[in-house]
Amino acid sequence: MSVESEKVLLRCIDVTKRYGNLEVLHEVSLDVRAGQVVCVLGPSGSGKSTLLRGINHLEKIDGGAILFDGRLVGYEERNGKLHELKERQYMRTRSRMGMVFQNFNLFPHLTAVENITLAPRLVRRADSAAATANAVRLLDRVGLADKANSYPRQLSGGQQQRVAIARSLAMNPDLMLFDEPTSALDPELVQEVLDVMRALADDGMTMLVVTHEIGFAREVADEIVFMADGAIVEQGDPDTMLTRPSNPRTREFLAKVMS
Amino acid sequence: MTLSTADDTRERELVQLALSGGRIYPRKHWWRIAGMAVVAVLGLVFIETFIFNKNMQWDVVFRYFTSEQILAGLVTTLELTAITMGIAIVLGTLIAIARTSSSAFLQSVSWFYVWFFRGTPVLVQLIFWYNLASLVPEVGIGIPFGPLLVSTETNQLITPFVAVILAFGLDQAAYMCEIVRGGLLSVDEGQKEAAGSLGLTSAQTMRRIVLPQAIKVIIPPTGNQLIGLLKYTSLVSVLAVPDLLYAAQLIYSQNFLTIPLLVTATLWYLIVTSILNIGQYYVERRYSRGSTREVTASITSRLFAGLRRKKEHVDVS
């Protein structure tokens, strides 16, 4: 299990999101403490991904508040009113959160190393040589030291996702968001990605993981959150959540995925 | 099931023949052969009528081929094409970015631009800019709706050359906008999200992530557009801008050798478009980085590989 502190790194309070008349998130409240690994489970369409995208400000929320490291994500308070932040300002916050996507979203026109060094160089103004050295070190950490100069299309899905994780880590994030990182992978490639994530958790990274991998959640998570129909139905420690869930919807979902 | 002895022998013979690796006689395509004969006859007639026609005066064609007037015209044509294309690419890209932006104002302004310039003939625009002086006699810099601080006569500023650049540049920009927009839309939305999640601003994302990927989709139709533009510039002869065609016209209006001089110009147009074609191939190859697993061959090696394949194919049959 990872090291936990009392410091709340991410706090979601009554987060609500609508697409037209459809409420995809309904008053979701969730705390993630520094060093904690939280796994979000739930059927598709339950709002898990939308929550992650809201946290990263890829989508604007319609109600509630998201605080990262004690500050509102995307907004600031001036004279008792909320103002939208300028792009540069919220980009600074955003770059402290790594995001790993279901479809990897590597940049196909750049090599693995270039994928990793791009953001440090552009956003942090890192020196090119230092950024490359760091990228090589990160590639080694995800077991792909020999793929530094490969283009994404020359890599398998599992390798691409590991490069994507290395790309996020290059910004030294305080929080890593994983949006179904293994759902687009062939079954035999899932494990290599989960191994990298497990190592990351062991190193004390704060992680919020949307996943269908129950085994991973049981083993790595400090807390499991179960969502359905845009709301948190139940949350608790993995043992209780996976063996003795109190909510019938959780039981129904687990029965389906574990059969 | 039993096979009669006769059938059995027959089958064995067929199998033996098929496995013996002997010559196989390909199917005759009679319609193709007939078509080829017709085309061959038409081709001979064409050569007889045009190439071996003494009125063609090939000596005249080649005498003027490198004459000073024709070469100056060629340079003007190339200048017009290059400047116009430069304007069209820059302006078209900006308008395309405006059209795909989230601002409703920018979207409608750019939509209007494309609607207007695609909807009016370029020849009309050409004549319009040329005659701008009759509408606005003076142009200059000053306070909008107020007095001018610096001004000049419109005819001083809008020379025929400038009129042509304006007309073609603004017109082509509308087409380039549509081409660039198609390229921008071809890039997956996830690319922008990934760039954004790493902290890149939207300007950085556009320049480093979206445009480099869109360019693969943008280049082929742009090459097409460039070749089209090179030919369209011959319209400027109506404004007496001495381009390649107008240079030829000036010469044949004096010596009445109309056809030979048109052929001189035509040959130059063909040479330049051929060079542009080759250039396009290399530019496309340059920007296909990361899109294939293999290294792409050069145009000549591809040509030779094609010939070799053809030869092998012939050997087999």
Side-chain angles (χ1 to χ4, degrees), chain A:
Chain A
M1 288 293 136
S2 45
V3 200
E4 282 180 52
S5 71
E6 286 308 304
K7 184 190 170 198
V8 174
L9 187 62
L10 178 74
R11 171 163 280 172
C12 303
I13 308 158
D14 291 344
V15 173
T16 300
K17 169 80 187 174
R18 284 180 217 96
Y19 293 125
N21 286 329
L22 182 72
E23 202 172 57
V24 287
L25 287 179
H26 178 74
E27 296 179 359
V28 173
S29 296
L30 176 72
D31 278 0
V32 179
R33 290 191 301 280
Q36 215 182 9
V37 176
V38 176
C39 284
V40 185
L41 306 180
S44 48
S46 58
K48 309 176 303 264
S49 293
T50 313
L51 178 64
L52 278 200
R53 297 161 63 85
I55 291 169
N56 206 2
H57 205 52
L58 283 174
E59 291 192 40
K60 288 179 187 164
I61 56 172
D62 298 311
I66 297 170
L67 290 138
F68 177 68
D69 206 6
R71 299 169 80 166
L72 278 177
V73 173
Y75 306 91
E76 67 177 344
E77 184 265 349
R78 285 202 304 265
N79 309 325
K81 291 191 179 107
L82 282 184
H83 295 267
E84 235 178 293
L85 281 178
K86 289 203 188 83
E87 193 180 35
R88 290 246 177 222
Q89 293 174 309
Y90 76 74
M91 281 303 176
R92 215 171 299 144
T93 318
R94 204 188 242 181
S95 69
R96 290 176 57 201
M97 295 187 238
M99 176 102 171
V100 175
F101 298 86
Q102 182 175 351
N103 297 318
F104 332 134
N105 290 338
L106 285 183
F107 307 129
H109 59 302
L110 302 177
T111 63
V113 157
E114 289 167 343
N115 262 280
I116 299 170
T117 56
L118 183 77
R121 282 170 47 205
L122 287 181
V123 181
R124 298 271 163 81
R125 308 262 167 237
D127 163 67
S128 179
T132 306
N134 190 40
V136 170
R137 193 181 56 78
L138 286 167
L139 278 174
D140 189 43
R141 189 166 158 192
V142 298
L144 292 170
D146 54 330
K147 300 292 183 190
N149 295 315
S150 300
Y151 284 99
R153 240 164 270 236
Q154 296 162 326
L155 301 173
S156 73
Q159 291 171 333
Q160 287 190 51
Q161 193 61 297
R162 282 145 70 195
V163 173
I165 293 173
R167 179 175 69 175
S168 291
L169 291 177
M171 296 299 280
N172 292 318
D174 299 315
L175 169 70
M176 284 288 283
L177 306 169
F178 291 85
D179 187 6
E180 302 197 23
T182 58
S183 297
L185 295 175
D186 291 336
E188 78 272 21
L189 303 176
V190 168
Q191 209 49 51
E192 62 186 56
V193 173
L194 293 182
D195 287 344
V196 168
M197 290 168 63
R198 193 175 292 119
L200 211 53
D202 289 344
D203 285 350
M205 176 63 78
T206 315
M207 293 162 64
L208 183 57
V209 186
V210 170
T211 187
H212 292 296
E213 296 293 330
I214 305 292
F216 175 81
R218 183 199 310 276
E219 194 190 331
V220 179
D222 299 302
E223 186 166 359
I224 288 179
V225 174
F226 181 74
M227 283 182 75
D229 294 332
I232 293 181
V233 171
E234 191 177 3
Q235 68 189 93
D237 66 272
D239 190 45
T240 318
M241 285 290 289
L242 296 175
T243 50
R244 301 180 299 278
S246 51
N247 190 288
R249 299 206 56 175
T250 317
R251 277 203 293 271
E252 190 193 338
F253 175 77
L254 289 175
K256 268 185 202 157
V257 292
M258 300 217 282
S259 61

Side-chain angles (χ1 to χ4, degrees), chain B residues 71-125:
Chain B
L71 288 183
L74 176 67
V75 169
T76 306
T77 291
L78 293 178
E79 273 174 8
L80 279 175
T81 309
I83 297 172
T84 310
M85 202 63 195
I87 293 173
I89 287 173
V90 173
L91 192 57
T93 305
L94 292 177
I95 299 168
I97 291 171
R99 264 203 94 171
T100 49
S101 81
S102 53
S103 148
F105 174 73
L106 287 179
Q107 275 178 32
S108 22
V109 169
S110 50
W111 178 88
F112 178 82
Y113 182 95
V114 174
W115 170 79
F116 183 81
F117 282 98
R118 273 207 315 191
T120 47
V122 69
L123 185 56
V124 174
Q125 292 172 38

Side-chain angles (χ1 to χ4, degrees), chain B residues 166-188:
Chain B
L166 274 173
F168 278 119
L170 297 179
D171 180 76
Q172 290 289 311
Y175 289 93
M176 279 312 298
C177 161
E178 289 300 281
I179 290 172
V180 174
R181 190 169 71 98
L184 295 182
L185 293 179
S186 76
V187 178
D188 186 64

Side-chain angles (χ1 to χ4, degrees), chain B residues 206-225:
Chain B
M206 179 57 72
R207 206 169 82 73
R208 299 305 195 106
I209 305 299
V210 178
L211 280 178
Q213 291 182 59
I215 205 125
K216 260 186 299 182
V217 179
I218 293 172
I219 283 171
T222 303
N224 209 22
Q225 202 69 19

